Amino acid sequence: MTLEQEINKRRTFGIIAHPDAGKTTLTEKLLLFGGAIQTAGAVKSNKIDVSTRSDWMDIEKQRGISVATSVMGFEYKDLKINILDTPGHQDFAEDTYRTLTAVDSVIMVIDCVKGVEQQTEKLMEVCRMRNTPVLCFINKLDREGRDAFDLLDEIEEKLDIKVRPMSWPIGMGKSLRGVFNIYENNLNLYEPNKTKKVTDVVEIKGVDDPKLDQHLPESMTKELREEIELVNGVYDPFNKEDYLSGKVAPVFFGSAVNNFGVRELLDCFIQIAPPPKARENELRLVTPDEKKFTGFIFKIHANMDPKHRNRIAFARICSGKFERGNNYYHVRQDKPFRFSNATAFMAQQKETVDEAFPGDIVGLYDTGNLKIGDTLTEGEKALYKGIPFFSPELFREVINLDAMKSKQLEKGLDQLMDEGVAQLFTYEMGARKVVGTVGALQFEVLQHRLLNEYKASARFEAVNIYKACWISAKEQSKLDAFVKDKYRHIARDKEGKLVFMAESKAWLQRVQDNFPDIEFHFISEF
Ligand code: G4P
């Protein structure tokens, strides 16, 4: 197969949702359709086993929270589909943001009872930053959910994206009878089915087909016909370009746990979802069909094997062909590296991979040379752009509890920050170290891992910080003057970039007013 054929075969996407909306269930059903697993029930009953394989940290197992972002690949109708799962817990949202930099599109799961939840809004913002195409799956139709039109209005309003229904529910909850597939113009009759594939699709040609009346009671056919007419009147016809540019989200309805509406979603997805796209590095736009390999690291997992302190770096391939055993150029370290132990992800298994193509994710075993945002090439000295760090929400000072182990603490913090567990800010004055996170749980993860993996005991003490702002100015002298003036509040991030640690919103506002030449950024990349 040519490189171009390999690229066109691939669809790499992420599933995002508010916890409990049904992301894991949907992922399982997609794998089931892809034949990557035999029965969905089997995977469910294996939940602990699955988490052992994908969530490598003890603490996650103890808490039963899927912190890890795992990758699952499968083949479906001649396409190679890569699903990047994202952590459900909101404290690990940073992880999800970074995963979204490695996908070409997104499926967003929304619970029809709860509607659009807050976390979904934030995730959508991240998709919008990169114009990532989004497809919505409104789940749990077997429950008494909200009116379909209301849900669509809410998506448009809260997520600030236009929608286009591609399927339509016939009833809901106890009265759910099926889904009319607007895209394919056929009818899928409802049959709760947790373990088998649903093949009970009745072929009908549009809502006016008299066959519809044979399968549904009169009141339902009447309502369905009226609703479909309304849908076609209210929403613009589906336009693939608008979907691909992130302007319109096609919407599907279904019930993942009952394996219902999932095939419609998947079959449409493979027709409309984008193959790997071109990506910008510091110098230029790199197209996937370029002969030379390039890729970047978006995620690092540590200690899958407690006996060895090894890490696995997840690399998204952007162009060319990755070949195991080849030397690749590590741009940040300006050194060649050989990855003889690359891993691919198929369904729940990891297997050694000899070659991989744009859109694929490979796992690279690493002993501490790679970190998030690193770029690998065949010689080009340019980093990929767009793996930003956001200003954390919570800040705590690191207090070393064992003076004999300060080296271990330093090393532990350094490596855990490379993995993106949290962000470290070191004050210019006194070298105070402050860790920033999105949620409180990350401090517990840090403390646990520092102790267990690095034998360093530390405490995290609350500090009064509202935001970390990366600062810049057109004139270096202005920046120098600001740093001098606000010396006590200036820190450096792990890359050595200058950061202003603002204590409150009001104070930040005052400082911004007083120093109009200084630019304050809430994202590390500006
Ligand atoms: P998440 O990954 O987004 O956090 O959600 P997950 O798939 O784990 O699903 C959360 C709960 O919602 C699970 O129930 C799951 O069975 C249920 N669920 C998923 N899809 C549907 C659906 O279409 N209809 C209904 N009624 N429920 C659905 P649980 O009780 O937490 O777990 P389990 O005991 O069922 O495994």
Side-chain angles (χ1 to χ4, degrees):
M1 221 186 272
T2 64
L3 178 59
E4 223 158 55
Q5 284 167 331
E6 293 282 4
I7 295 164
N8 288 328
K9 218 184 121 157
R10 278 160 173 80
R11 301 290 181 274
T12 301
F13 72 102
I15 303 189
I16 55 178
H18 191 89
D20 266 354
K23 183 169 56 68
T24 312
T25 313
L26 180 66
T27 307
E28 284 170 355
K29 303 296 154 151
L30 293 174
L31 292 176
L32 185 76
F33 275 105
I37 52 174
Q38 292 315 308
T39 60
V43 173
K44 268 282 181 202
S45 62
N46 258 347
K47 213 164 186 177
I48 293 162
D49 212 22
V50 172
S51 67
T52 328
R53 271 189 236 131
S54 57
D55 309 343
W56 288 288
M57 285 158 31
D58 275 0
I59 193 160
E60 297 167 23
K61 273 180 260 155
Q62 286 162 15
R63 291 169 189 277
I65 296 161
S66 170
V67 181
T69 299
S70 45
V71 184
M72 280 160 281
F74 66 93
E75 301 257 348
Y76 182 71
K77 295 195 176 169
D78 292 333
L79 290 183
K80 164 95 192 291
I81 307 210
N82 295 314
I83 307 180
L84 274 62
D85 192 18
T86 51
H89 199 284
Q90 61 181 8
D91 283 11
F92 295 87
E94 275 267 328
D95 224 20
T96 305
Y97 303 155
R98 285 191 295 261
T99 298
L100 293 180
T101 65
V103 303
D104 298 304
S105 68
V106 154
I107 292 181
M108 184 174 277
V109 185
I110 292 169
D111 182 330
C112 73
V113 182
K114 296 192 175 140
V116 176
E117 291 166 273
Q118 202 191 0
Q119 199 178 331
T120 319
E121 291 179 45
K122 191 140 189 216
L123 292 169
M124 186 65 207
E125 265 173 49
V126 179
C127 293
R128 208 174 297 113
M129 275 163 61
R130 306 179 63 244
N131 297 326
T132 308
V134 175
L135 225 146
C136 285
F137 183 73
I138 298 186
N139 191 28
K140 305 198 183 180
L141 274 196
D142 57 314
R143 290 201 177 156
E144 302 298 331
R146 311 228 316 254
D147 173 70
F149 284 108
D150 283 353
L151 285 164
L152 294 172
D153 284 351
E154 191 178 73
I155 295 176
E156 290 205 328
E157 204 176 293
K158 288 200 177 160
L159 300 183
D160 195 16
I161 187 166
K162 282 179 148 285
V163 296
R164 167 69 220 191
M166 304 295 262
S167 69
W168 197 254
I170 307 170
M172 205 181 260
K174 284 199 190 78
S175 69
L176 179 69
R177 294 299 296 267
V179 163
F180 182 76
N181 189 335
I182 303 175
Y183 187 65
E184 286 178 8
N185 230 357
N186 63 16
L187 177 68
N188 189 356
L189 283 182
Y190 181 51
E191 184 199 312
N193 188 332
K194 296 196 184 194
T195 52
K196 290 196 311 254
K197 295 181 191 180
V198 173
T199 45
D200 196 10
V201 178
V202 180
E203 287 296 331
I204 59 159
K205 296 188 185 74
V207 271
D208 295 327
D209 191 330
K211 255 206 263 175
L212 189 65
D213 303 283
Q214 294 164 20
H215 293 280
L216 291 173
E218 196 188 329
S219 59
M220 281 199 152
T221 49
K222 187 165 172 280
E223 194 180 332
L224 176 67
R225 285 179 178 130
E226 282 169 8
E227 286 185 338
I228 296 293
E229 198 182 324
L230 196 56
V231 165
N232 289 330
V234 171
Y235 301 100
D236 291 337
F238 174 66
N239 178 324
K240 193 169 161 183
E241 285 315 307
D242 287 344
Y243 156 67
L244 291 176
S245 57
K247 291 197 191 87
V248 172
V251 178
F252 285 84
F253 290 85
S255 167
V257 81
N258 291 301
N259 223 344
F260 191 67
V262 180
R263 187 197 62 80
E264 289 80 353
L265 172 78
L266 184 59
D267 280 345
C268 178
F269 171 84
I270 60 167
Q271 285 183 45
I272 65 173
K277 286 186 280 198
R279 268 163 199 271
E280 254 183 280
N281 71 15
E282 289 167 315
L283 304 173
R284 64 192 187 90
L285 195 67
V286 182
T287 58
D289 58 353
E290 290 182 17
K291 287 276 170 298
K292 289 194 171 162
F293 160 79
T294 61
F296 67 87
I297 311 294
F298 64 94
K299 166 90 192 160
I300 290 182
H301 258 308
N303 296 327
M304 290 147 304
D305 180 353
K307 280 181 238 116
H308 305 99
R309 191 185 289 164
N310 61 1
R311 320 202 284 182
I312 188 163
F314 290 76
R316 148 96 197 201
I317 296 171
C318 299
S319 71
K321 179 160 101 172
F322 172 89
E323 284 176 281
R324 186 162 68 91
N326 269 9
N327 272 324
Y328 290 117
Y329 176 63
H330 185 325
V331 178
R332 180 176 54 86
Q333 291 198 342
D334 189 22
K335 272 201 277 202
F337 270 88
R338 186 193 297 270
F339 300 101
S340 45
N341 221 345
T343 301
F345 304 89
M346 285 303 277
Q348 311 283 304
Q349 311 288 331
K350 295 202 291 289
E351 52 192 45
T352 305
V353 63
D354 291 321
E355 52 180 39
F357 297 91
D360 284 342
I361 310 298
V362 292
L364 306 171
Y365 286 90
D366 171 47
T367 50
N369 289 305
L370 293 170
K371 64 181 186 180
I372 288 167
D374 273 345
T375 300
L376 300 169
T377 70
E378 283 191 39
E380 184 173 4
K381 291 190 182 187
L383 290 166
Y384 271 106
K385 294 209 295 199
I387 311 209
F389 285 92
F390 294 82
S391 172
E393 313 276 340
L394 298 176
F395 297 87
R396 292 190 194 165
E397 184 172 349
V398 187
I399 310 286
N400 185 4
L401 297 178
D402 183 350
M404 304 296 284
K405 298 273 171 62
S406 53
K407 271 227 172 80
Q408 283 88 331
L409 178 62
E410 196 132 318
K411 182 170 179 190
L413 279 174
D414 194 52
Q415 295 206 342
L416 294 173
M417 298 305 134
D418 281 356
E419 281 175 34
V421 177
Q423 292 181 62
L424 184 70
F425 302 95
T426 308
Y427 275 78
E428 293 280 86
M429 204 175 83
R432 263 195 327 147
K433 286 187 191 320
V434 166
V435 165
T437 67
V438 176
L441 189 53
Q442 276 152 300
F443 291 110
E444 291 177 44
V445 171
L446 272 175
Q447 200 168 27
H448 176 98
R449 292 190 56 189
L450 283 169
L451 189 63
N452 283 281
E453 294 165 29
Y454 299 90
K455 309 281 172 270
S457 45
R459 191 158 53 80
F460 293 93
E461 200 165 87
V463 282
N464 184 27
I465 295 168
Y466 156 70
K467 279 267 152 72
C469 313
W470 284 268
I471 46 175
S472 65
K474 289 201 177 65
E475 286 171 55
Q476 185 62 37
S477 60
K478 294 265 181 1
L479 190 63
D480 294 344
F482 178 77
V483 169
K484 201 167 165 209
D485 192 274
K486 294 278 170 270
Y487 200 65
R488 286 191 324 115
H489 307 280
I490 300 292
R492 291 203 183 252
D493 72 2
K494 213 165 159 284
E495 306 303 312
K497 284 189 188 162
L498 281 171
V499 180
F500 173 62
M501 308 295 269
E503 284 178 1
S504 72
K505 196 173 180 178
W507 185 55
L508 174 61
Q509 188 58 53
R510 271 204 309 280
V511 173
Q512 282 176 311
D513 292 344
N514 292 343
F515 292 88
D517 297 316
I518 305 298
E519 285 164 38
F520 298 80
H521 312 268
F522 296 114
I523 298 181
S524 66
E525 211 171 74
F526 43 85

